[in-house]
Amino acid sequence: MTTWAADPHPGENRLAASAAIAVMIAAQVALSDELTFRPWWLLPGVECVLLVALFAANPTRFTRESKMIRTASLALTGVASLITAWAAGRLVWMIATGHAPVDPPVLLLNGAGVWVTNVVVFALWFWELDRGGPAARSKARCPDPDFLFPQMATPNVARKGWHPQFLDYLYVSFTNAAAFSPTDTMPLSRWAKFLMMGQSAVSLVTAALVVARAVNILR
C-alpha cells in the first residue's frame, strides 16, 4: 500500500506552510487582550524569529535536515500550541464565569480567531510528525504513514509519485475541526488519533460555547 509513497521526491515548496503560519500569527495578535499571554508580543515574536530562521535554513524547499532545524521547527509549532491553548482556555473560562465580552461580534471574532489558530496549529503538527516531517518524507526515511490519504488507498486517482504536502494536512485539520471527526483521511498511528481527538474536543467546546453565548446575548 505504501511502497509508492516511500519513494524519494523533491522537497515541497515552503510557500504554503509559511503563508499559513503568517496568517496564524496575525490571528493571534488580533485576539483581545484578555485572551493573550502577557506580554502580548513575546510569544508571537518568538514565532517570527523561528520562522525567519527556518526560512533561512530552507529558503525554497524543505530538503535540508539537521537536529537544529528539526528542533526549531517543532519549537515553533509548540509555541503556537501554547498560544492557542492559552487563548482557548481563557475564552472558555470567561464564558463559563460570565466574563466574556457582551458584544456578540467581538465574541464571535475572538472565537473565530481561536478556531483558525487551532486549525493551523494542528495542521502543523500533522505535517511535522507524519513520517518524520517534510524533509524526511522527501527522502523516504520512514515508509509507514501516519495518515491514509485517499490517493494512497485508491489506485489511479492520482499521478504516479503523488505525496501529501502542507495543504493536504491543512485540509485534514480543517475538516476535522469542522466535523469533529475524520472525513476522507484516516489517522493510522496512535499519536495521530490522539491529536485528532484533541483537536476535535477543542473545536467542539470552543464553537459550542461561543455560539451559545452569542445567541444568549442576542436574546
Side-chain angles (χ1 to χ4, degrees):
M1 180 183 66
T2 63
T3 54
W4 68 270
D7 293 339
H9 58 78
E12 67 177 277
N13 192 290
R14 69 168 304 113
L15 179 60
S18 299
I21 293 172
V23 170
M24 177 188 68
I25 294 174
Q28 293 168 348
V29 173
L31 292 173
S32 296
D33 291 343
E34 295 84 356
L35 303 180
T36 56
F37 191 88
R38 303 299 178 89
W40 66 267
W41 49 266
L42 178 60
L43 294 183
V46 172
E47 290 176 318
C48 290
V49 170
L50 290 172
L51 179 59
V52 170
L54 290 169
F55 190 89
N58 281 307
T60 55
R61 292 185 176 275
F62 294 97
T63 55
R64 183 182 171 192
E65 290 185 285
S66 74
K67 285 187 176 181
M68 185 175 296
I69 293 175
R70 183 65 173 160
T71 299
S73 186
L74 292 176
L76 172 58
T77 308
V79 172
S81 301
L82 177 60
I83 297 175
T84 302
W86 178 270
R90 287 283 300 172
L91 183 61
V92 170
W93 179 85
M94 290 171 63
I95 293 175
T97 58
H99 292 84
V102 295
D103 188 3
V106 173
L107 179 61
L108 290 172
L109 285 174
N110 277 294
V114 172
W115 195 85
V116 167
T117 59
N118 179 48
V119 168
V120 178
V121 163
F122 278 93
L124 288 171
W125 280 121
F126 300 157
W127 177 69
E128 287 285 3
L129 296 180
D130 185 23
R131 285 187 293 162
R137 284 194 299 274
S138 72
K139 295 174 174 56
R141 298 202 182 282
C142 180
D144 298 323
D146 298 287
F147 290 93
L148 181 64
F149 289 87
Q151 293 88 339
M152 300 163 62
T154 307
N156 304 320
V157 299
R159 69 183 186 281
K160 181 178 175 59
W162 181 93
H163 57 276
Q165 299 188 20
F166 178 77
L167 289 179
D168 298 294
Y169 296 98
L170 183 63
Y171 172 79
V172 171
S173 181
F174 179 89
T175 55
N176 187 56
F180 314 125
S181 65
T183 53
D184 63 348
T185 300
M186 295 294 108
L188 301 180
S189 62
R190 291 186 178 92
W191 72 256
K193 295 175 183 178
F194 179 78
L195 282 181
M196 294 192 80
M197 180 177 66
Q199 183 189 24
S200 296
V202 173
S203 180
L204 176 60
V205 171
T206 303
L209 287 178
V210 168
V211 172
R213 177 61 177 166
V215 170
N216 186 56
I217 293 173
L218 289 172
R219 286 180 178 177

